[in-house]
Short mmCIF file of all heavy atoms in Angstrom, two decimals:
data_model
loop_
_atom_site.label_atom_id
_atom_site.label_comp_id
_atom_site.label_asym_id
_atom_site.label_seq_id
_atom_site.Cartn_x
_atom_site.Cartn_y
_atom_site.Cartn_z
N THR A 189 -0.55 -23.53 36.69
CA THR A 189 -0.72 -24.95 36.38
C THR A 189 0.30 -25.81 37.11
O THR A 189 0.08 -27.00 37.31
CB THR A 189 -0.59 -25.19 34.87
OG1 THR A 189 0.73 -24.81 34.44
CG2 THR A 189 -1.62 -24.37 34.10
N GLY A 190 1.44 -25.22 37.49
CA GLY A 190 2.44 -25.94 38.25
C GLY A 190 3.55 -26.52 37.43
O GLY A 190 4.64 -26.77 37.94
N ASN A 191 3.33 -26.79 36.14
CA ASN A 191 4.36 -27.39 35.29
C ASN A 191 4.94 -26.40 34.29
O ASN A 191 5.58 -26.80 33.33
CB ASN A 191 3.78 -28.59 34.51
CG ASN A 191 3.56 -29.79 35.41
OD1 ASN A 191 3.94 -29.76 36.57
ND2 ASN A 191 2.95 -30.83 34.87
N PHE A 192 4.70 -25.13 34.50
CA PHE A 192 5.18 -24.11 33.58
C PHE A 192 6.58 -23.68 34.01
O PHE A 192 6.79 -23.30 35.17
CB PHE A 192 4.24 -22.91 33.61
CG PHE A 192 4.44 -21.95 32.47
CD1 PHE A 192 3.96 -22.25 31.21
CD2 PHE A 192 5.11 -20.76 32.65
CE1 PHE A 192 4.13 -21.38 30.16
CE2 PHE A 192 5.28 -19.87 31.62
CZ PHE A 192 4.80 -20.19 30.35
N PRO A 193 7.59 -23.76 33.12
CA PRO A 193 8.96 -23.38 33.52
C PRO A 193 9.02 -21.93 33.99
O PRO A 193 8.58 -21.02 33.28
CB PRO A 193 9.77 -23.58 32.22
CG PRO A 193 8.95 -24.51 31.39
CD PRO A 193 7.53 -24.22 31.72
N MET A 194 9.58 -21.72 35.18
CA MET A 194 9.57 -20.39 35.76
C MET A 194 10.48 -19.42 35.03
O MET A 194 10.22 -18.22 34.98
CB MET A 194 9.96 -20.45 37.23
CG MET A 194 8.88 -21.09 38.12
SD MET A 194 7.27 -20.27 37.96
CE MET A 194 7.63 -18.67 38.64
N ASP A 195 11.57 -19.93 34.41
CA ASP A 195 12.43 -19.02 33.66
C ASP A 195 11.69 -18.47 32.44
O ASP A 195 11.86 -17.30 32.06
CB ASP A 195 13.73 -19.70 33.26
CG ASP A 195 13.50 -20.86 32.29
OD1 ASP A 195 12.48 -21.56 32.45
OD2 ASP A 195 14.34 -21.06 31.39
N VAL A 196 10.82 -19.30 31.83
CA VAL A 196 9.99 -18.83 30.72
C VAL A 196 8.99 -17.79 31.22
O VAL A 196 8.75 -16.77 30.57
CB VAL A 196 9.27 -20.01 30.04
CG1 VAL A 196 8.33 -19.51 28.95
CG2 VAL A 196 10.28 -20.99 29.46
N ALA A 197 8.39 -18.06 32.38
CA ALA A 197 7.40 -17.14 32.94
C ALA A 197 8.04 -15.79 33.27
O ALA A 197 7.46 -14.73 32.98
CB ALA A 197 6.78 -17.75 34.19
N PHE A 198 9.23 -15.80 33.87
CA PHE A 198 9.92 -14.54 34.19
C PHE A 198 10.27 -13.78 32.91
O PHE A 198 10.17 -12.55 32.86
CB PHE A 198 11.19 -14.82 35.01
CG PHE A 198 10.92 -15.25 36.41
CD1 PHE A 198 11.55 -16.36 36.95
CD2 PHE A 198 10.03 -14.54 37.21
CE1 PHE A 198 11.30 -16.76 38.25
CE2 PHE A 198 9.78 -14.93 38.52
CZ PHE A 198 10.41 -16.05 39.04
N ALA A 199 10.70 -14.52 31.88
CA ALA A 199 11.02 -13.87 30.60
C ALA A 199 9.77 -13.26 29.98
O ALA A 199 9.83 -12.20 29.35
CB ALA A 199 11.67 -14.88 29.65
N MET A 200 8.60 -13.93 30.16
CA MET A 200 7.36 -13.36 29.65
C MET A 200 7.03 -12.04 30.34
O MET A 200 6.55 -11.09 29.71
CB MET A 200 6.20 -14.36 29.85
CG MET A 200 6.20 -15.52 28.88
SD MET A 200 4.72 -16.56 29.08
CE MET A 200 3.44 -15.43 28.50
N VAL A 201 7.28 -11.96 31.64
CA VAL A 201 7.04 -10.71 32.37
C VAL A 201 7.96 -9.61 31.86
O VAL A 201 7.55 -8.46 31.68
CB VAL A 201 7.24 -10.93 33.89
CG1 VAL A 201 7.18 -9.60 34.64
CG2 VAL A 201 6.17 -11.87 34.42
N LEU A 202 9.23 -9.98 31.59
CA LEU A 202 10.15 -8.99 31.01
C LEU A 202 9.65 -8.51 29.66
O LEU A 202 9.67 -7.32 29.35
CB LEU A 202 11.55 -9.60 30.88
CG LEU A 202 12.33 -9.87 32.17
CD1 LEU A 202 13.66 -10.55 31.86
CD2 LEU A 202 12.60 -8.56 32.91
N GLY A 203 9.19 -9.45 28.83
CA GLY A 203 8.68 -9.08 27.52
C GLY A 203 7.44 -8.22 27.61
O GLY A 203 7.25 -7.29 26.82
N ALA A 204 6.57 -8.51 28.60
CA ALA A 204 5.37 -7.69 28.80
C ALA A 204 5.74 -6.27 29.17
O ALA A 204 5.12 -5.30 28.69
CB ALA A 204 4.50 -8.31 29.89
N ASN A 205 6.77 -6.11 30.00
CA ASN A 205 7.21 -4.76 30.37
C ASN A 205 7.81 -4.01 29.20
O ASN A 205 7.59 -2.81 29.04
CB ASN A 205 8.22 -4.85 31.52
CG ASN A 205 7.55 -5.00 32.87
OD1 ASN A 205 7.20 -4.03 33.53
ND2 ASN A 205 7.36 -6.25 33.29
N LEU A 206 8.57 -4.72 28.37
CA LEU A 206 9.15 -4.07 27.20
C LEU A 206 8.07 -3.72 26.18
O LEU A 206 8.01 -2.60 25.65
CB LEU A 206 10.20 -4.99 26.58
CG LEU A 206 10.90 -4.46 25.33
CD1 LEU A 206 11.62 -3.14 25.63
CD2 LEU A 206 11.88 -5.50 24.78
N GLY A 207 7.21 -4.68 25.88
CA GLY A 207 6.16 -4.45 24.90
C GLY A 207 5.16 -3.39 25.34
O GLY A 207 4.59 -2.68 24.50
N GLY A 208 4.95 -3.26 26.65
CA GLY A 208 3.99 -2.27 27.15
C GLY A 208 4.40 -0.84 26.89
O GLY A 208 3.57 0.08 26.95
N ALA A 209 5.69 -0.61 26.61
CA ALA A 209 6.16 0.75 26.33
C ALA A 209 5.94 1.15 24.88
O ALA A 209 6.07 2.33 24.54
CB ALA A 209 7.65 0.86 26.67
N VAL A 210 5.58 0.18 24.02
CA VAL A 210 5.47 0.47 22.59
C VAL A 210 4.12 1.08 22.19
O VAL A 210 4.08 2.03 21.40
CB VAL A 210 5.77 -0.80 21.76
CG1 VAL A 210 5.59 -0.54 20.27
CG2 VAL A 210 7.19 -1.27 22.05
N PRO A 211 2.97 0.57 22.68
CA PRO A 211 1.68 1.15 22.26
C PRO A 211 1.56 2.66 22.43
O PRO A 211 1.03 3.33 21.53
CB PRO A 211 0.65 0.39 23.13
CG PRO A 211 1.29 -0.93 23.36
CD PRO A 211 2.75 -0.63 23.52
N PRO A 212 2.03 3.27 23.56
CA PRO A 212 1.96 4.73 23.64
C PRO A 212 2.77 5.43 22.54
O PRO A 212 2.37 6.50 22.07
CB PRO A 212 2.55 5.05 25.03
CG PRO A 212 2.34 3.80 25.81
CD PRO A 212 2.50 2.68 24.83
N ILE A 213 3.89 4.84 22.15
CA ILE A 213 4.69 5.43 21.07
C ILE A 213 3.94 5.33 19.75
O ILE A 213 3.89 6.29 18.97
CB ILE A 213 6.06 4.74 20.98
CG1 ILE A 213 6.90 5.09 22.22
CG2 ILE A 213 6.80 5.14 19.72
CD1 ILE A 213 8.25 4.44 22.25
N MET A 214 3.32 4.19 19.51
CA MET A 214 2.55 4.01 18.28
C MET A 214 1.35 4.97 18.24
O MET A 214 1.01 5.51 17.18
CB MET A 214 2.07 2.56 18.17
CG MET A 214 3.20 1.54 18.03
SD MET A 214 2.63 -0.17 18.18
CE MET A 214 1.48 -0.29 16.82
N ALA A 215 0.71 5.15 19.41
CA ALA A 215 -0.48 6.01 19.46
C ALA A 215 -0.16 7.48 19.26
O ALA A 215 -1.04 8.26 18.89
CB ALA A 215 -1.19 5.81 20.80
N THR A 216 1.08 7.87 19.52
CA THR A 216 1.46 9.29 19.40
C THR A 216 2.37 9.56 18.21
O THR A 216 3.00 10.62 18.14
CB THR A 216 2.16 9.77 20.69
OG1 THR A 216 3.30 8.93 20.95
CG2 THR A 216 1.22 9.72 21.87
N MET A 217 2.44 8.62 17.27
CA MET A 217 3.35 8.77 16.14
C MET A 217 3.08 10.04 15.33
O MET A 217 4.00 10.69 14.84
CB MET A 217 3.24 7.54 15.21
CG MET A 217 3.97 6.31 15.74
SD MET A 217 5.76 6.55 15.85
CE MET A 217 6.18 6.59 14.12
N LYS A 218 1.79 10.42 15.21
CA LYS A 218 1.43 11.58 14.40
C LYS A 218 1.30 12.85 15.24
O LYS A 218 0.97 13.91 14.70
CB LYS A 218 0.12 11.32 13.66
CG LYS A 218 0.24 10.22 12.61
CD LYS A 218 -1.05 10.08 11.81
CE LYS A 218 -0.90 9.03 10.72
NZ LYS A 218 -2.16 8.88 9.92
N ALA A 219 1.54 12.73 16.54
CA ALA A 219 1.46 13.91 17.40
C ALA A 219 2.74 14.74 17.25
O ALA A 219 3.70 14.31 16.59
CB ALA A 219 1.26 13.50 18.85
N ASP A 220 2.74 15.93 17.86
CA ASP A 220 3.95 16.75 17.75
C ASP A 220 5.05 16.19 18.65
O ASP A 220 4.83 15.27 19.43
CB ASP A 220 3.64 18.22 18.08
CG ASP A 220 3.10 18.39 19.49
OD1 ASP A 220 3.11 17.41 20.24
OD2 ASP A 220 2.69 19.51 19.83
N LYS A 221 6.23 16.75 18.52
CA LYS A 221 7.42 16.19 19.18
C LYS A 221 7.28 16.19 20.71
O LYS A 221 7.70 15.23 21.36
CB LYS A 221 8.66 17.00 18.78
CG LYS A 221 8.89 17.09 17.27
CD LYS A 221 9.24 15.76 16.66
CE LYS A 221 9.50 15.88 15.17
NZ LYS A 221 10.65 16.71 14.81
N ALA A 222 6.70 17.24 21.27
CA ALA A 222 6.58 17.34 22.73
C ALA A 222 5.74 16.20 23.29
O ALA A 222 6.03 15.65 24.36
CB ALA A 222 5.98 18.69 23.13
#
């Protein structure tokens, strides 16, 4: 859009990378340790 603060956008990318690591952990919560 052109008026979106870039520091907010970069922080969103960081959050997306951090949050993307959580669903696999949630999906394997009941699996064995390996």
